[in-house]
Amino acid sequence: DAKTTQPNSMESNEEEPVHLPCNHSTISGTDYIHWYRQLPSQGPEYVIHGLTSNVNNRMASLAIAEDRKSSTLILHRATLRDAAVYYCILRVQTSGSRLTFGEGTQLTVNP
Amino acid sequence: EAQVTQNPRYLITVTGKKLTVTCSQNMNHEYMSWYRQDPGLGLRQIYYSMNVEATDKGDVPEGYKVSRKEKRNFPLILESPSPNQTSLYFCASSLARRSTDTQYFGPGTRLTVL
């Protein structure tokens, strides 16, 4: 599976935007970019996914570089509840529903 | 409410004593899987099932069994648990196995094998 690279940790202040980067230089043309997050003592939860175009939903926005070698998850106004580990995952067509999790980015939100 | 449930949430057991962790989903999902989460290793898939009576190995299947007799249930069985199976376990389900399908995770089962 193609590999992703994320910073180990990031900090933000409450009510400020947060940009979480992810590099995936070996991505192939049919790989979807997914983001999941894991809040403390909970199972991972889906955040957003995209293929080529930028995507928005009620939780976040996903900005995908034109060459698709990187992407950025954007939380428009961070809250204390957004403190979690964020995982950037490439969903490979041939591996179907298996999610290959890396170490993710631990986001700390300061009040 | 759409959800994946796991039981028990916490379990302490001893080496060799067979145990089962149950997983159930109420979303009529075809695809279910089990992951384990260990510090420094992330989440790794143990087994998955594409539908009733269709199961297959994931990345770390040794020491585990599963069954899928009904669509909603996917129990994880440890026939003879060992201390290296001490871990946090998550069950997940999705509508199908397409790479666009969202996976829904249960709350986790923390297992300690002494």
Side-chain angles (χ1 to χ4, degrees):
Chain A
D1 290 344
K3 186 175 164 54
T4 63
T5 304
Q6 301 177 252
N8 288 335
S9 62
M10 290 186 66
E11 263 192 65
S12 173
N13 295 321
E14 204 175 4
E15 298 192 5
E16 289 184 358
V18 181
H19 291 233
L20 296 164
C22 181
N23 287 319
H24 28 77
S25 58
T26 59
I27 191 171
S28 71
T30 55
D31 293 347
Y32 279 82
I33 301 158
H34 285 246
W35 284 81
Y36 280 73
R37 71 179 186 180
Q38 188 172 17
L39 286 80
S41 302
Q42 294 189 27
E45 65 174 348
Y46 168 81
V47 178
I48 200 166
H49 77 273
L51 183 62
T52 55
S53 307
N54 294 345
V55 185
N56 300 296
N57 67 19
R58 64 174 179 82
M59 287 181 73
S61 295
L62 177 60
I64 301 172
E66 202 167 325
D67 64 5
R68 301 209 328 125
K69 293 185 186 302
S70 66
S71 60
T72 302
L73 179 71
I74 302 165
L75 307 179
H76 295 286
R77 288 183 66 200
T79 69
L80 297 178
R81 285 202 68 248
D82 292 321
V85 179
Y86 286 79
Y87 298 98
C88 170
I89 300 165
L90 298 184
R91 295 288 294 277
V92 181
Q93 285 277 52
T94 54
S95 69
S97 280
R98 185 180 69 200
L99 294 176
T100 302
F101 286 82
E103 288 302 308
T105 298
Q106 174 69 63
L107 175 66
T108 301
V109 180
N110 301 313
Chain B
E1 181 192 351
Q3 60 182 349
V4 178
T5 57
Q6 295 179 226
N7 282 293
R9 295 289 312 280
Y10 302 91
L11 179 59
I12 300 174
T13 189
V14 295
T15 299
K17 186 176 180 183
K18 180 180 178 180
L19 67 92
T20 299
V21 183
T22 65
C23 172
S24 183
Q25 49 91 7
N26 63 359
M27 296 170 278
N28 202 35
H29 284 171
E30 288 187 356
Y31 187 94
M32 298 184 74
S33 62
W34 277 100
Y35 293 83
R36 60 178 288 174
Q37 185 172 30
D38 303 288
L41 296 174
L43 282 101
R44 295 175 292 168
Q45 192 182 59
I46 303 170
Y47 266 95
Y48 65 92
S49 168
M50 289 187 282
N51 215 323
V52 174
E53 303 293 0
T55 64
D56 210 343
K57 296 177 181 177
D59 298 319
V60 287
E62 294 76 24
Y64 304 95
K65 283 175 57 177
V66 292
S67 69
R68 187 94 181 271
K69 293 184 168 48
E70 305 165 283
K71 198 171 187 178
R72 64 183 294 127
N73 297 324
F74 189 45
L76 179 70
I77 303 155
L78 285 72
E79 295 266 4
S80 183
S82 62
N84 65 12
Q85 292 178 298
T86 293
S87 187
L88 180 58
Y89 291 86
F90 291 101
C91 180
S93 74
S94 63
L95 190 60
R97 66 186 300 261
R98 295 172 298 234
S99 54
T100 53
D101 287 327
T102 298
Q103 288 211 18
Y104 296 84
F105 285 80
T109 295
R110 187 167 291 282
L111 172 65
T112 301
V113 183
L114 303 174

